[in-house]
Structures are given as C-alpha cells and as structure tokens.
Amino acid sequence: LPMQTTIEGGAMQSKRVHKIWAFVFVLCLSGCATGPLKQFGDVDISARAVPMESILARPELYDGKAVRVIGVADFEFGFEGESAIFPSTENLAHHTFSGIGVGSLGPGVKGSERGLEQLTGKFVLVEGIFHKSVHEPGSICLRGCWPAGIISPLTRVAEWF
C-alpha cells in the first residue's frame, strides 16, 4: 500500500510540472515578450470582415460599405505617395494591381502617417468605407488604376500577427 501512494504521488507531481511548463509555453506564445501590436484608430463595429479576394472579385457588392480587410500594407505618404493593401507579400513586391488603394485617413488615423509607414511590408487589418473604381472609357491613370477600388476614409489600422 505505501508503494502505491509513492507512485501516485510521483505521478501527481509529474502532472503538476507538466501543467507549469504548459502554462509557461502558452504565456510565451501569447506575446508577453514581444510587446503590444500597433493600432491606429478605433474599432468600427459596423465594419464587415471580408476576404480581400472577395472584394477584388466582386467590388460592386461592397461599394459604399464599411469593410474590415486583412492584407499586406504599402503605406507611402510622401510627395505623390500612394498607399494600398495587397493580398500577399508577393503582390506587394511586384506591385501587381491586385491591391486595394487607400484614400484619405479618418480622424482616428490622421496624423499617424509615420507609424503607418513603419507597417509597410507587414500584414495589417484595416477598416474603412470601400468605394469601387469607376473607369470611364478612355480615362487615363498615370500611375495605374486600382482595379477594385479604394478604402476611404481609412478609420482603423492594426498590425496583424
């Protein structure tokens, strides 16, 4: 009988050690060592989470609506700067026209241009009103036209894992 108590006691102690290590592992994964993610603007509860591919495929369905999109940021606010959100780092690297342009910045985001530029090349979550592109026959886009449209004003930008 004392032999069983020792084995059971050892098993209980072993389970306790495993639980402690599991807790430490989860704590490290939760980002306790990495610091907070950057965020500009406030959450818009009316924004609808939409895959970027859905907007690119059928922009007319989202025209004039508040959307929440995840993509790779390309923020450039200098002279003749042009900002956009791309579905992948490859699209950003090759500046394909499979992105969504970024128009004006909303009140919660305005003034954060330097912070936003630091997010270029990273995945971000953005919120704002989507406006599909309207191309008149014979119109000329000097730097290229965004085929789907733009998000303007941009009301929230958050760094995505």
Side-chain angles (χ1 to χ4, degrees):
L1 195 66
M3 190 85 145
Q4 286 180 332
T5 306
T6 308
I7 293 172
E8 288 175 11
M12 297 256 310
Q13 187 175 14
S14 176
K15 285 182 182 180
R16 199 172 297 134
V17 169
H18 286 292
K19 286 182 181 180
I20 291 171
W21 279 112
F23 175 76
V24 169
F25 179 74
V26 169
L27 190 61
C28 288
L29 284 181
S30 70
C32 63
T34 61
L37 297 174
K38 294 179 184 174
Q39 178 168 307
F40 306 94
D42 296 322
V43 175
D44 178 359
I45 59 170
S46 70
R48 178 178 170 197
V50 181
M52 184 175 285
E53 293 79 4
S54 296
I55 293 177
L56 294 171
R58 302 283 309 273
E60 66 277 3
L61 296 178
Y62 306 99
D63 189 34
K65 295 187 169 83
V67 296
R68 179 178 300 123
V69 177
I70 296 170
V72 180
D74 183 21
F75 292 122
E76 188 179 330
F77 298 103
F79 181 69
E80 292 188 6
E82 198 168 60
S83 299
I85 307 299
F86 290 91
S88 71
T89 53
E90 290 81 13
N91 290 110
L92 170 60
H94 300 288
H95 278 273
T96 65
F97 289 108
S98 62
I100 298 173
V102 172
S104 64
L105 302 178
V109 182
K110 198 174 205 81
S112 304
E113 289 85 351
R114 291 276 182 227
L116 294 174
E117 286 177 343
Q118 292 175 356
L119 295 176
T120 292
K122 297 180 180 180
F123 277 91
V124 295
L125 176 145
V126 298
E127 292 176 354
I129 306 298
F130 176 76
H131 303 277
K132 76 179 185 101
S133 291
V134 179
H135 301 291
E136 299 295 324
S139 64
I140 299 173
C141 298
L142 298 177
R143 293 187 56 156
C145 299
W146 296 110
I150 63 169
I151 296 176
S152 183
L154 195 63
T155 56
R156 177 180 172 219
V157 178
E159 189 173 7
W160 194 252
F161 310 98

